[in-house]
Structures are given as C-alpha cells and as structure tokens.
Amino acid sequence: MKKYNVAVVGATGLVGREMLKTLSQRNFPIKNLKVIASQRSAGKKIKFEDQELTVEAVQADTFAGIDIALFSAGSDVSKEVAPLVKKAGGIVVDNSNAFRMDPDVPLVVPEVNGSDLANHQQIIANPNCSTIQMVMLLKPLADKYGLKRLVISTYQAVSGAGKKAVDELFAQTKAHLAGEAIKNEKFNHQIAFNAIPQIDVFLDNDYTKEEMKMVNETQKILHTPELAITATCVRIPVVYGHGESLNIELLKDFELGEIKTLFAKTKNVELVDQPAAEKYPLQVATENNDNVLVGRIRRDNSLKNSLNLWLTANNLRKGAALNAVQIAEYLIENELV
Amino acid sequence: MKKYNVAVVGATGLVGREMLKTLSQRNFPIKNLKVIASQRSAGKKIKFEDQELTVEAVQADTFAGIDIALFSAGSDVSKEVAPLVKKAGGIVVDNSNAFRMDPDVPLVVPEVNGSDLANHQQIIANPNCSTIQMVMLLKPLADKYGLKRLVISTYQAVSGAGKKAVDELFAQTKAHLAGEAIKNEKFNHQIAFNAIPQIDVFLDNDYTKEEMKMVNETQKILHTPELAITATCVRIPVVYGHGESLNIELLKDFELGEIKTLFAKTKNVELVDQPAAEKYPLQVATENNDNVLVGRIRRDNSLKNSLNLWLTANNLRKGAALNAVQIAEYLIENELV
C-alpha cells in the first residue's frame, strides 16, 4: 500500500492532538509525519506510536515533499501557511474558518458530500463542528423527504474553544465549589454552572459567527443555497460533546418509524431513542464514540411535516479531527492525492 | 392594613424556603404564619424574620383560620391536602402540577392574566417555571402582533428538581474533578459536565411532561388554545436560573427596535441586549434578580414575521415562589381573598 508524507499543523492543540491520535487509531498510511506548531512550541516532544517527534515551527522548506497537511491552528495561520503547502505541491485539509466559504474550496463531510472533493484545488475545508454533526442527519432526510426549514439551538462543549477554555471551566468550577472568586480570561463571562449564549464574535445582523456558520456551511455542504435555517448557539459547562436541539420541517410527510429506520441504517450514525428506558443521546456518551448519536425523535404537532430531534457528537473527533482524517482517507481511496 | 393568616406547605424545600424569603422581602401582610412540611420534618425550626417557627405536619385542624396557603410539596400532597384548605375556607396557591389544567382552576402569571383570578374557586395554580418566564415575554408580543408559532429549546437549572438535585450536581462535580466514580441517584444520568434531554417523565407521544406543560400551560395562560407550540426541554449543569432559546413566528410584521422598546417597557422584564458589548441574559445573573431577562433579539431570516431571542429568569423566584406570592398579593389588592 502506498504511504504518504503527512504534516499536522497546530499539533499541540486539542484538535491537533486528536488528529495525531486519529491517524494512529485508523492506521493512516503514513510514510513520514511532521508535527508543526508555533515558534513557542518548537522543540517540544510529542509521542506518536513508538516514535518521539519534535515539534517544528514553519520554515521555508517545511512542506517540501508533504502530500497532506492537516491544519488546526486558527484562521490566521491557515491563511498564511496553507498557500506554502499548496506551492510545495501538497494538499491542505483545513479545520479553520479561513477558506470554508471560498467557492474554489470544497467544504466536506465525507459521508455527505465526499464527491465534492473530485475537483479540489489542494485546499479543502473541514466544516464547523456543530455543522458536521448536524449534516450527518440532514443528508438522509434531504434525500428522502427534502428539507424546508431548520430551527437549531445548540448546547456546545467548552473544548470547542480549546485547551485554555477547558482549563478555565475546571478552574472556575473549583473556585465556585470553594466559595472563591471566579476569574474569566478565555471566556468573557462565567462558564462554570452557567451558559453563555455567544460563540465566536457578533456580526452586523446580531447573529454570532458560529450561528451564521451553521446556516452558510449547511447550505454549501448540502448544495441547497436557499435552504431556510436559523440557529442559536450556546456554550454550556460540558467538556466534550456538542448537543443540538433540532426542529426540522420537511417537504414531504413522513412516518416516525421510517425516519428512525433511516437513521439506524445511516453509516456512522447511531440511533439512541428509547424513551421508555430513558435512553437518548448524551454528551458524555460521545467521549469514546465516533458516531453521531440521534434520539428524542418525535413528530412536531405544531406544523405539518415537522419533527424534533436531539443529537450529540464528539466535537473534537467527528466535529474536527476525525472528519479531517476521513477527508484525507477519501482523497487516497479515490486517487485524488 | 388588613393582615392575613398564611401557611406555607412544603416549607423546608427549596421553593418553600424561597416562598418564606419572598414573603418577608415583600412585606407581605402576615398576621400569623404556619410552616408545614412532612411528618419527617415536623418539629424542625425555621427562622422567619425575628421569629423561630416550628415546622408542623398536617393535622385535622391545621388550616382552621388560614386565609392563604402557598403549596410547594409536590402533586400528591397538593391533591390530598389542598381540599382540606378549601374546606376550611382558605385559598390555595399551588406550585405543583396537580390542578394546572383543571378548567375550574385559574393558572396565573399576575402580569399576564391576573384577571383570571376574578372567578377563582379557592384553588389557584402557579404555572411551570419555564412557562412563567416565557409568557412574560409572549404576552406583550401577542397583544401587539399576535402569535403564530413557537419553537422552544430550554436550558434548565438543576434547582428546578429540588435540593437533592443541587446536592447531586455538586457531589458529581467534585467526584469528576477528583477522578472518582460518579453516582446517580436523583438524576437518571450524569448531570455534572453533561446535559440531560429529559425533564419529568415521558408521555405517550414521546414528549416529556415538562415539554407538554410548556405547550398546554402557555395555551391556557394566553387564552389561545390553538396556538402552535413545540418544545424540547433540557437539563444543564447550572444551579439557578433557566435559559430558553425561543423562535417566534408572529402574525404581523415587526421592527426589531419596536420589539426591544416593547420589552424594555414591560413591567418586571429587563432588556439585556447589547451584542457589541457582549451583554445578554445569563443564568448566573438571575440569582438576585426577580425580572425576566431578555436579549439576543434578532430577525429570523428563514421565515416571514419571525424572530429569535434568549431569555433567563430565576426558576425558584419568578419561576415559582415569587409568582405564587404575587398571586396572593393580587388576590388581596383586588379583594378576592
């Protein structure tokens, strides 16, 4: 089997480390692996299987011979560094927001729109975490019934904001339990025992960037630029796993049982929907689970052809690292590298 | 000023204690106050202002001479004990689910439908916490624009499930931080650093009782039995204060500024909506605030005449104890006692 030279840019971050773990767990065909981070982290050691890799900062020749570079170091780094990979002849799978809405850049969840990779131009975007898990469920519904409108409310984990955010949740929680004052540094408000109805910055329309990502990226991934979508994104004091409450209006009528069967048959989706046994998707259940969990599926009697459901998925795995690695695997399987 | 004989039934619970605090803070015209709880708590002492009151269990003559009894001891106690108060000539303001949908029982949020108290038959129901805070905002919208449909997702505090639930959240949180195993007793799943998409039991339609309370109680309070409403209720690891993400379809078009002004002018509603300053309603901000906080108000471009907003309120105060005391105050002011 052919092997590839791989780089992980942002290798010391939460998603970067998850990318390394995922590459190993899935036996990604690696010839040589480079771990890249900021100048500050250069020289640090990272264990990868039986190797000890040294973190490098980006240099002029860093990407010479690299086939695939997985990026998760923020938009600014992606904008600056991705062109260097492209120039050196490699492919970038970028987890940041930098290129997602660029019409020349495929925005891909392999199970949903892997075929969009066919005409890639060396830069491929990994969608936003909340969007990835949602489109995994929307795709089979869109194919079978057609989508009319989505009303989304999210319950997002702090790990989506990085390692410092997780540290801050724990530090604030400990302080609160000890009756001490709470410090906000990474978050603009208390996150311990609180919810913050803001993720990312506010835009001119008073939606947050995260909310508009869910609208715009979903439309792009599903090839339905006019699909009616509205979202409210909220950070809650959960460490791993995003939850979403989804109200879906379909174009055609449906049977609930049909929809449950459809999800049960969908690859990498897991139906967890037994109200009588009090079983439904939980965020803590996603910690070691790569699937999107869906449950609480019920008819919305307030509107024709409508339903409610609840979904959870691991925001660092399917929501980020795993999806990026799956994109790389798709490229290899389809001889697009 | 005339004074009244008052009883608080369920006085040792979270809401019962909040009722006592509220009666004192609002200088409720009390002649004599009885604190009532289960046989198990009888004999305990409760401080009320400068008095030390002794908790009593219900006896045959407990309610003799009582003018108003505030109940928060669960549905079973309400069903059994409320008729005793009525028989003794007193009025019950009941915080449980026992009588809310009884057509002979007014279900009241004083600012919204206080006038429904006019024909009370000695039993009055306090609505569900999530419903109370929501109808405070829906009423001015209904009056000005008319309501067409609501899609609700809640972010509810554990204190809504009582003192044991709060203790369990803290115990689980400490165990998790210490790397110890987590025990579930009050909750059926881990609540520390997790969300549980189930509040109260499941009904035949796979909605929870809490979700259907939001539908049925809202229709009753607003006198709009056909209003289209759908709800998803989720418990999150927050101690005090319920959050709600609300998508509202109105019958008429609106200006966003008009709606903000309307809320700013609504009694006991507080507009907290400055995205540029990252100010919006938080659950921790409701701890010592009796108002319903509303913000994140924005046009929903996915549907005509629609908007999204986010609200928070203290579930033990406006969501329970305060609303019950306000009902009692309304009765007195309008000579309905």
Side-chain angles (χ1 to χ4, degrees):
Chain A
M1 192 185 185
K2 201 183 159 194
K3 293 194 170 186
Y4 300 84
N5 291 322
V6 175
V8 172
V9 179
T12 56
L14 275 187
V15 173
R17 287 179 182 274
E18 208 64 42
M19 284 171 165
L20 294 170
K21 200 168 117 186
T22 307
L23 289 168
S24 171
Q25 286 173 339
R26 295 174 71 93
N27 296 313
F28 194 89
I30 296 173
K31 191 192 294 171
N32 190 46
L33 177 62
K34 278 195 179 186
V35 286
I36 295 162
S38 64
Q39 192 65 55
R40 208 177 54 243
S41 297
K44 279 190 188 166
K45 303 290 179 186
I46 288 186
K47 227 181 122 56
F48 180 79
E49 298 178 347
D50 55 356
Q51 307 169 55
E52 195 177 56
L53 303 173
T54 304
V55 175
E56 302 172 42
V58 175
Q59 309 276 345
D61 63 345
T62 300
F63 298 106
I66 290 292
D67 299 302
I68 298 172
L70 306 178
F71 273 60
S72 187
S75 290
D76 292 345
V77 172
S78 293
K79 281 179 196 157
E80 197 184 321
V81 181
L84 304 181
V85 178
K86 186 171 172 172
K87 206 173 162 194
I91 294 173
V92 172
V93 180
D94 180 34
N95 192 50
S96 86
N97 188 43
F99 307 109
R100 288 181 188 152
M101 297 312 296
D102 183 329
D104 293 333
V105 171
L107 179 69
V108 173
V109 177
E111 297 93 333
V112 175
N113 65 331
S115 58
D116 286 355
L117 291 168
N119 301 309
H120 78 81
Q121 292 168 45
Q122 291 173 257
I123 296 183
I124 295 151
N126 208 35
N128 175 260
C129 42
S130 316
T131 306
I132 291 176
Q133 65 185 67
M134 182 175 70
V135 296
M136 288 284 288
L137 301 178
L138 293 180
K139 175 64 170 155
L141 294 178
D143 288 348
K144 184 152 186 174
Y145 306 98
L147 301 173
K148 187 164 173 193
R149 180 170 174 250
L150 309 172
V151 180
I152 309 158
S153 292
T154 71
Y155 300 67
Q156 295 182 234
V158 294
S159 57
K163 192 175 175 311
K164 280 184 190 164
V166 174
D167 293 344
E168 185 155 307
L169 169 62
F170 287 139
Q172 287 188 356
T173 302
K174 284 176 193 164
H176 187 275
L177 291 174
E180 292 163 7
I182 278 177
K183 276 181 233 159
N184 307 323
E185 286 170 8
K186 179 71 190 174
F187 289 109
N188 50 359
H189 299 285
Q190 176 180 333
I191 183 64
F193 305 112
N194 195 28
I196 303 177
Q198 179 192 354
I199 298 179
D200 211 330
V201 296
F202 280 101
L203 303 174
D204 286 344
N205 62 0
D206 287 351
Y207 282 79
T208 59
K209 209 166 176 178
E210 183 83 358
E211 288 162 351
M212 293 314 296
K213 285 177 195 170
M214 294 200 78
V215 175
N216 298 327
E217 295 184 17
T218 301
Q219 291 171 337
K220 178 168 176 175
I221 295 166
L222 296 177
H223 302 165
T224 51
E226 304 296 327
L227 180 59
I229 310 174
T230 191
T232 299
C233 291
V234 181
R235 187 81 69 191
I236 66 168
V238 160
V239 186
Y240 299 109
H242 287 346
E244 297 177 18
S245 166
L246 208 51
N247 181 268
I248 308 172
E249 185 181 358
L250 299 172
L251 289 173
K252 290 186 211 159
D253 197 12
F254 60 89
E255 298 271 346
L256 274 182
E258 234 173 46
I259 287 188
K260 289 180 192 178
T261 305
L262 185 66
F263 287 145
K265 282 183 185 165
T266 301
K267 202 182 158 197
N268 301 335
V269 166
E270 200 175 320
L271 181 71
V272 187
D273 199 2
Q274 297 176 57
E278 303 194 332
K279 287 189 182 168
Y280 30 71
L282 294 174
Q283 277 145 283
V284 286
T286 68
E287 204 168 334
N288 295 302
N289 192 330
D290 284 345
N291 295 324
V292 174
L293 311 188
V294 60
R296 301 277 353 253
I297 302 167
R298 58 223 197 270
R299 186 171 288 278
D300 167 6
N301 292 310
S302 80
L303 190 69
K304 211 180 142 199
N305 303 341
S306 292
L307 70 151
N308 287 304
L309 56 80
W310 170 257
L311 67 148
T312 66
N314 187 316
N315 54 303
L316 298 180
R317 303 273 304 177
K318 185 56 186 167
L322 171 61
N323 196 71
V325 172
Q326 285 178 299
I327 289 173
E329 290 171 346
Y330 188 104
L331 293 171
I332 291 171
E333 280 158 26
N334 293 276
E335 299 177 352
L336 294 164
V337 185
Chain B
M1 191 181 182
K2 198 181 160 197
K3 293 193 167 185
Y4 300 85
N5 290 323
V6 175
V8 172
V9 180
T12 57
L14 275 187
V15 172
R17 287 180 183 273
E18 208 64 41
M19 283 171 166
L20 294 171
K21 200 167 117 187
T22 307
L23 288 168
S24 171
Q25 286 173 340
R26 295 173 72 92
N27 296 312
F28 194 88
I30 296 173
K31 191 191 297 173
N32 189 45
L33 177 63
K34 278 195 179 185
V35 287
I36 295 161
S38 65
Q39 193 63 55
R40 208 177 54 244
S41 296
K44 278 189 189 167
K45 303 290 180 188
I46 287 186
K47 227 180 121 57
F48 180 78
E49 298 179 346
D50 55 358
Q51 306 168 56
E52 195 176 55
L53 304 173
T54 304
V55 175
E56 302 173 40
V58 175
Q59 310 276 344
D61 63 346
T62 300
F63 299 106
I66 289 291
D67 298 303
I68 299 172
L70 307 178
F71 273 60
S72 186
S75 290
D76 292 343
V77 172
S78 293
K79 281 179 197 157
E80 198 185 321
V81 180
L84 305 181
V85 178
K86 187 170 171 172
K87 206 174 163 193
I91 294 173
V92 172
V93 180
D94 180 36
N95 192 48
S96 87
N97 188 43
F99 307 108
R100 287 180 188 152
M101 297 313 295
D102 184 330
D104 292 333
V105 171
L107 180 69
V108 173
V109 177
E111 297 92 333
V112 175
N113 65 330
S115 57
D116 286 355
L117 291 168
N119 302 310
H120 78 80
Q121 293 167 43
Q122 291 172 259
I123 297 182
I124 296 152
N126 208 34
N128 175 261
C129 43
S130 317
T131 306
I132 292 176
Q133 65 184 68
M134 183 175 69
V135 296
M136 289 283 289
L137 302 178
L138 293 180
K139 175 65 169 152
L141 294 178
D143 288 347
K144 183 152 185 175
Y145 306 98
L147 300 173
K148 186 165 175 194
R149 180 171 175 250
L150 309 172
V151 180
I152 309 158
S153 292
T154 70
Y155 300 67
Q156 294 181 233
V158 294
S159 56
K163 191 175 175 309
K164 280 184 188 164
V166 174
D167 293 344
E168 185 155 309
L169 169 62
F170 287 140
Q172 287 189 356
T173 302
K174 282 175 193 162
H176 188 275
L177 292 174
E180 292 164 6
I182 278 177
K183 276 181 235 159
N184 308 323
E185 286 171 9
K186 179 73 189 170
F187 290 109
N188 51 358
H189 298 285
Q190 177 181 334
I191 184 63
F193 304 112
N194 195 27
I196 303 178
Q198 179 192 351
I199 297 180
D200 211 329
V201 297
F202 280 101
L203 304 174
D204 286 344
N205 62 0
D206 286 352
Y207 282 80
T208 59
K209 208 166 176 180
E210 182 84 358
E211 288 161 352
M212 293 314 296
K213 284 177 197 169
M214 294 200 78
V215 174
N216 299 327
E217 295 184 19
T218 301
Q219 291 171 336
K220 178 168 176 174
I221 295 166
L222 296 178
H223 303 164
T224 51
E226 303 296 326
L227 180 60
I229 309 176
T230 191
T232 298
C233 291
V234 181
R235 187 81 69 191
I236 65 168
V238 160
V239 186
Y240 299 109
H242 287 346
E244 297 178 17
S245 165
L246 207 52
N247 181 267
I248 307 172
E249 186 180 358
L250 299 172
L251 289 173
K252 290 186 210 159
D253 198 12
F254 60 90
E255 299 271 346
L256 274 182
E258 235 174 43
I259 287 188
K260 291 181 191 177
T261 305
L262 185 65
F263 287 145
K265 283 184 186 165
T266 301
K267 200 181 157 195
N268 301 335
V269 165
E270 198 175 321
L271 181 71
V272 186
D273 199 3
Q274 296 177 57
E278 302 192 334
K279 287 189 182 169
Y280 30 71
L282 294 175
Q283 277 145 281
V284 287
T286 68
E287 204 168 334
N288 294 301
N289 191 330
D290 285 343
N291 295 325
V292 173
L293 312 187
V294 59
R296 301 280 347 257
I297 301 167
R298 58 223 196 271
R299 187 172 287 278
D300 168 6
N301 292 308
S302 80
L303 191 69
K304 210 181 144 199
N305 303 342
S306 293
L307 70 151
N308 287 304
L309 56 80
W310 170 257
L311 67 148
T312 67
N314 187 317
N315 53 303
L316 299 182
R317 303 272 304 176
K318 184 56 186 166
L322 171 62
N323 196 70
V325 172
Q326 285 178 298
I327 288 173
E329 290 171 347
Y330 188 103
L331 293 171
I332 291 172
E333 281 159 26
N334 293 276
E335 298 176 355
L336 294 164
V337 186

